[in-house]
Amino acid sequence: GVPREACEALIIMVSPFAPHLAEECWTDLLGNSPSVSAQPWVTWSEEKCKESTITIAVQINGKTRTTLQLAPDATKETALQAAFDAPELDKFLHSIKSESELKKVIYVPSKILNLVLPPPAKK
């Protein structure tokens, strides 16, 4: 179900636009009193709006191959390790064991990880 606190906040925010509907919801559905118009306005909470994980795209040689779920403050090393651990990237990274074997690594925090592979060895 929806938390009661969320319902109350929504009804308070709707009340300037639909006062009669908001009042009915406030008193009849939630059983609150006094009137919704007597309630303080909803306050902003930065903590409640923070994402616990973000999605970043992983590119191999400039082509998007997968996405990863990481912490918002993930470092380049954390993102790189997650990419090496991702099964979807095994076929591209099967012969590469560490960052030093890559031609280039481009990491834009909270956005993208681009791995530039060295050219394949000639036979």
Side-chain angles (χ1 to χ4, degrees), residues 1-12:
V2 179
R4 183 178 181 89
E5 180 182 315
C7 288
E8 288 176 348
L10 180 63
I11 292 170
I12 291 169

Side-chain angles (χ1 to χ4, degrees), residues 31-111:
N32 291 339
S33 64
S35 172
V36 69
S37 61
Q39 302 306 310
W41 192 248
V42 180
T43 57
W44 169 261
S45 173
E46 183 71 33
E47 191 62 36
K48 290 180 182 176
C49 295
K50 287 186 179 176
E51 295 288 334
S52 58
T53 61
I54 56 164
T55 303
I56 68 162
V58 179
Q59 293 182 337
I60 305 289
N61 293 336
K63 294 182 182 174
T64 302
R65 301 297 183 176
T66 191
T67 58
L68 297 173
Q69 298 292 320
L70 298 174
D73 57 348
T75 63
K76 176 181 176 180
E77 291 74 25
T78 305
L80 197 56
Q81 186 59 49
F84 278 120
D85 294 343
E88 307 89 19
L89 300 177
D90 282 346
K91 64 183 174 183
F92 303 105
L93 302 175
H94 64 279
S95 63
I96 296 177
K97 305 295 181 225
S98 69
E99 180 181 354
S100 62
E101 296 179 45
L102 295 167
K103 188 172 182 181
K104 191 173 187 179
V105 176
I106 302 165
Y107 178 61
V108 180
S110 303
K111 301 280 184 212

